[in-house]
Amino acid sequence: MTSDGSSPFAAAPARSSHRIEERSIRLQCLIHAPRDLVFLAWTDPVHVARWWGPHGFRSVVRQMDVAVGGQFRICMIAPDGTEYPIKATYQDIVEPERLVYIDDWDDDRPSQQSRVTLTFEAAGPEETLLTLEMLFATQAEREAAQAQHIIPGWGETFERLDAYLAQR
């Protein structure tokens, strides 16, 4: 926060950082919106469809039942028309602090299941520190996810989320 109360990040685009461990990938990004709004953007299918996926992708939310045991299904569509359908089952929900789900492909691709934990930490009245941690069963599965450019993909997704919320 600057001396006049404004944020030094207000004009800067969202930038993510990441850390890789044996079986996990952790990404963080400062989103320029209040925590309640960022949480809503992750749990309302109308919002999710407008920002989910890397630059150039569009997404279709096929199902979103935000409850423990509930599922979501989202299909990301690449600029060339290739579809990347995913499915997930919510394991834990603490509004507006945390979402935990198990996700995987929703088609005949080899399983790439991970446990995703999202935390939403207020970093000021208009900023949220978003942390996404993916835990894989093995190091090889984490490496396979990395080979599919999951880190830059999530980084671009966070940028899209931040830009979408800036329009509010």
Side-chain angles (χ1 to χ4, degrees), residues 19-83:
R19 184 178 76 219
I20 300 168
E21 295 185 358
E22 183 178 333
R23 294 178 35 228
S24 68
I25 299 171
R26 180 181 175 157
L27 298 104
Q28 286 191 312
C29 185
L30 186 66
I31 303 293
H32 302 96
R35 179 170 76 161
D36 289 346
L37 182 58
V38 178
F39 189 88
L40 178 65
W42 278 86
T43 57
D44 181 309
V46 172
H47 290 299
V48 171
R50 294 191 173 134
W51 60 265
W52 188 284
H55 295 300
F57 281 65
R58 65 183 179 86
S59 290
V60 176
V61 178
R62 295 181 172 155
Q63 177 182 359
M64 186 161 276
D65 178 17
V66 184
V68 173
Q71 292 190 327
F72 73 77
R73 287 185 150 81
I74 298 171
C75 184
M76 296 184 298
I77 304 165
D80 68 2
T82 303
E83 294 188 0

Side-chain angles (χ1 to χ4, degrees), residues 6 17 19 49 59 80 92-93 95-97 128 142 154:
S6 64
S17 62
R19 184 178 76 219
S59 290
D80 68 2
D92 187 35
I93 301 167
E95 186 178 345
E97 299 171 13
T128 303
R142 189 261 305 148
W154 271 116

